[in-house]
Amino acid sequence: MTDPVPFTVIGGFLGAGKTTLLNRLLRDAGRRRFAVLVNDFGALDIDGGLVAAHDGDTVALANGCLCCTIGDSLVTTLLGLLERPERFDHIVVEASGVADPGRIADLAVLEPRLVRDGVVVVVDAVDVRERASDRRLRDTVMRQLQAADLLLLNKIDLAVDLAAVRCWISMQTAAPLLESKHADVPLDLLFGLDRAGGSSDESSAEAFASWSYEWSEPVERDALLAMLREARGGVLRAKGIVRFADSADRRSVVHLVGGRLDVSDQGPWGDTAGSRLVMLGLRPMLGSLPRETTT
Amino acid sequence: MTITVYSTRRIITMNPNRPFATHVAVRDGRILGAGSLEELKGWGKVELDSRFADKVVLPGFVEGHSHAFEGGVWKFPYVGYFDRTNPDGSRAPGLKSIDEVVAALSAHEKTLPKGASLLAWGFDPIYFGGRRMDLADVDKISTDRAVVIIHSNFHVANANTAVLAKAGITRTTNVHGIVKDAKGEPTGELQEMAAKYMAYRAAGVEIAAVLSDEQAVWRFARVAQLAGVTTATDLHNELPDSTVDGYLKATASDDFPIRLLPAFAATAISPAEGVPRLQALVKRNNEKLRFQLVKIVTDGSIQGLSARMRWPGYYDGTPNGVWNVGPDDLDRVLLAYHREGFQVHIHTNGDEASEVGIEAVERALAVAPRWDHRHTLQHAQMADAGQFRRMKALGMCANLFANHLYYWGDVHYAKTLGPERAERMDACATALATGVPFAIHCDAPVTPIGPLFTAWCAVNRLTASGRTLGEAEKIPVAEALRAITLGAAYTLKLDEELGSIDVGKRADFAILDDDPLLVPPEKLKDIGVWGTVLGGKVFEAPRR
């Protein structure tokens, strides 16, 4: 069986900037083949010259990416995608404006061909508090904020009271916050590095840093996980294949997206070289990591 | 041109100028008149047909909220608690315990090819004294093939170990909708997205097409026709080409027994694409197929605890439900179709959803004033008197889910709504008093299609356990009969064409064994349906 495909859900209200983010993703995908499930093709800004094929519910792009409209049922659209012969490096779902993106991310747990990557919720810095004060929408806003592994506070250039918005959000959720104008963020922070470990996104490489660690000896589980937990907010992604001292014959996979840290067992250690961990974060944040505890 | 005159025991016309008659004359599929034989002979030479001489004739019933999916699910075994009519007219007996369900499906399992999944539908454990179906039960049916038993609400399912193993579901799986027992082990019960995903995985994606293909719509039409229905909606369909082709083929047949109104699922694609698509579909309408309706689903269901409730919310303290389409999107999509002259049917179960639906119509009218739009709240189960007054002021209609009173009334009383709101749910009498044009419905396959049963619910308001749910919201039999004929036709903008037995209208009749205005009201649901007449063609139901 091939490796499961990382599955990311983009949530957030209508108008927050989900589509802008997806347009950026499709344009700057680099060598990576994304399959993107969206609510409305029409909203996407797909350059006609990049369209390789269009058959109603799907658009195949020249760069290897595929867009599918979700239509009436995400479940059948996703299953249909998984039945296609092409393999993708990453599947991204645009949640509807009122959906709970955490529930959608559960699909990756139910589907062995997928692995849950993260829930990114795009927040409109201009009107999120107004939405949250509407009694008909308040619980929907809160469910989205609380489902987020990573928040993208967008339209910061248009917000008049940014400090107050930041403060309000920090009281609703512990998820780390990235800030953007026009959803312009380093894509690698949201979707990880490609399989070769390289960035797909040359222009944003300056904005963040990646650190990698290698250990030849088994690693103390508590020390490593404590380091990652403390670093949350600074380290926005981490991925590692680790040989923990308490289960030195097993391959443990450490996966961090925003505020969510998962450790899973992937069978016997085998004869792979040492443990390896790659972390991504914003440059100023990473610089403050207590590196002595981990090396 | 032959004029056929049917002699009857009595005709209930829904025409207030001539509410009752003994004879009805039909020419060219339309009603020439209803009156005495002498009066009708004035039209010329008539052929007298006395086969309905001891029958009672009503306008063909109009089901304003059903789904052709009802025909799709009959491809699979029905395992519900209540007896239900098969498309072939036979009774599928209700199964009164989990063991009966297991025994029936174990027998069915032996008829399936190797490797095929087993799907069943209609299961409802609420009548089994609290016992839930679990893995041990479902594994008795099969341990190697995938087994998925879908509950009557279509939001919950039970699966066997084979299904869970394939998905890697264990006690450590932390996903909403995977029910676990006291020891933390999955019981095989799956809810909402988890249920839907596993059912589709087990069945294969192609199942979606099977559920609304040409054969499915034939089965749906037959089930409807057996209940006296001559016009039925398929009230939420994305209308992919394969479905449209099946509908066109089926309705082109003289033997197709109903008029079908699919409602376009407006939020599946953007209005910029959807409006021209629907406009193109309207051009393909025929005598038995009408593309004209638009559907938007705002919230979930009350029994599924996913309806959007106003304060004070669910009686048992469950957090508020979820939006499928929130207020912003509703405004945007409604306005787009409203501007183009379409009638929009808005699914609103909870009272907050009804509020949002009403306000969306109010805003659309402020931007684009339009007369006689008849935008309709579908279900509107919790709408109160104030909301009905607003609907009236805005020219809206309501289609109330009367069958809920019987099937889930006890649950609403005890758990979801509490006594006070349960007693005023599906408020037919309030709709009458405020003058909101209304219909009543079954939402098949959620509950069986059967307008006489639906009328019985609105008249008697009895729950499955026998509780009367809201004496004050009962309506008289005559009003309930209107709601399943002319009232429903009005909510579909078909009232000038059908819904009553009147000169010039289509010769669509329900042929009953007994007189609904003369039997005791509590017997309304037991009246036999002999068959129907559709456009002058007689469709006799198979004898039971």
Side-chain angles (χ1 to χ4, degrees), chain A residues 66-274:
Chain A
L66 184 79
C67 301
C68 308
T69 45
I70 292 169
D72 210 27
S73 168
L74 173 61
V75 164
T76 51
T77 306
L78 179 63
L79 281 167
L81 174 70
L82 292 171
E83 294 302 320
R84 291 174 73 99
E86 310 100 290
R87 305 264 39 104
F88 296 96
D89 297 315
H90 207 120
I91 294 176
V92 179
V93 172
E94 178 198 15
S96 89
V98 288
D100 178 344
R103 296 278 175 89
I104 296 172
D106 281 348
L107 289 174
V109 184
L110 297 172
E111 174 53 69
R113 290 170 284 183
L114 299 174
V115 57
R116 185 191 195 285
D117 192 68
V119 172
V120 177
V121 172
V122 187
V123 178
D124 186 331
V126 177
D127 73 359
V128 63
R129 285 187 299 165
E130 189 187 326
R131 299 266 189 197
S133 64
D134 181 337
R135 67 180 160 78
R136 300 177 307 197
L137 296 178
R138 181 177 173 77
D139 57 331
T140 305
V141 174
M142 293 306 161
R143 282 173 199 171
Q144 291 184 356
L145 293 178
Q146 282 151 18
D149 298 323
L150 190 59
L151 289 168
L152 182 59
L153 184 64
N154 194 30
K155 302 189 186 176
I156 52 168
D157 49 329
L158 302 177
V160 289
D161 48 358
L162 193 55
V165 174
R166 280 188 196 119
C167 173
W168 179 82
I169 289 175
S170 71
M171 289 190 294
Q172 316 306 325
T173 169
L177 189 71
L178 274 171
E179 299 187 0
S180 65
K181 302 169 193 166
H182 310 293
D184 186 8
V185 286
L187 292 175
D188 296 347
L189 289 181
L190 305 187
F191 304 103
L193 299 174
D194 69 22
R195 284 185 184 181
S199 170
S200 57
D201 188 4
E202 299 304 327
S203 65
S204 60
E206 289 301 305
F208 69 92
S210 69
W211 279 15
S212 66
Y213 293 85
E214 286 186 33
W215 300 272
S216 52
E217 295 302 308
V219 181
E220 288 300 325
R221 182 186 297 261
D222 290 349
L224 179 68
L225 299 187
M227 186 273 286
L228 284 172
R229 283 197 191 96
E230 273 172 38
R232 264 189 280 196
V235 174
L236 295 174
R237 290 191 71 95
K239 179 86 183 258
I241 295 169
V242 181
R243 199 174 160 205
F244 282 122
D246 58 14
S247 48
D249 56 337
R250 308 294 295 174
R251 270 166 86 88
S252 298
V253 174
V254 174
H255 187 60
L256 180 143
V257 178
R260 183 187 179 93
L261 174 60
D262 290 320
V263 181
S264 60
D265 181 282
Q266 275 200 352
W269 179 251
D271 57 359
T272 322

Side-chain angles (χ1 to χ4, degrees), chain B residues 132-153:
Chain B
R132 306 294 285 188
M133 183 176 262
D134 61 23
L135 278 174
D137 297 315
V138 188
D139 282 346
K140 281 183 207 153
I141 299 163
S142 175
T143 47
D144 36 274
R145 74 169 85 240
V147 178
V148 179
I149 301 169
I150 298 160
H151 292 212
S152 61
N153 58 23

Side-chain angles (χ1 to χ4, degrees), chain B residues 19-36:
Chain B
F20 305 105
T22 53
H23 292 73
V24 59
V26 175
R27 192 179 74 193
D28 295 334
R30 300 171 74 181
I31 296 163
L32 206 46
S36 68

